[in-house]
Amino acid sequence: ALEQAADGSVVAYLVADTFNSRVQRCAPAEGGACTTVAGGNGEGSAANQLHDPSSVALEQAVDGSVVAYLVVDIDNHRVQRCAPAEGGACTTVAGGHGEGSAAN
């Protein structure tokens, strides 16, 4: 996913780092530094853990500031909404009841 400023310029790249169970926010410059913005506390199902995240999207305010990261946490069968602060707390906004075909 791309984090963009209000003018459309790229501020950062967001990477679902599946095998390290974290989401990385990386500077757009070549070789840019990355920081962990969700997960990164080992594989698991606690609020501060992910288990094989597969994609990430942004919830942004009109001014372009990040409100939250939305993470598909595939092996926990849930979508997490994570605060933008480094290592921010996450809450489950969909799923989280195990594998299945029910509406929840």
Side-chain angles (χ1 to χ4, degrees):
L2 292 177
E3 181 180 330
Q4 296 179 299
D7 68 2
S9 62
V10 175
V11 175
Y13 297 104
L14 296 166
V15 179
D17 186 0
T18 302
F19 298 113
N20 289 308
S21 294
R22 65 185 179 184
V23 174
Q24 295 282 89
R25 182 180 184 270
C26 303
E30 186 175 331
C34 297
T35 57
T36 300
V37 294
N41 297 301
E43 193 174 271
S45 60
N48 67 344
Q49 293 178 305
L50 300 170
H51 188 191
D52 294 342
S54 64
S55 59
V56 61
L58 285 174
E59 181 181 336
Q60 288 183 279
V62 175
D63 68 0
S65 63
V66 175
V67 175
Y69 301 106
L70 299 166
V71 183
V72 176
D73 188 12
I74 199 156
D75 282 350
N76 283 320
H77 309 284
R78 66 185 181 183
V79 176
Q80 294 287 86
R81 183 178 187 270
C82 305
E86 186 174 331
C90 299
T91 55
T92 301
V93 294
H97 302 284
E99 186 175 359
S101 60
N104 66 351

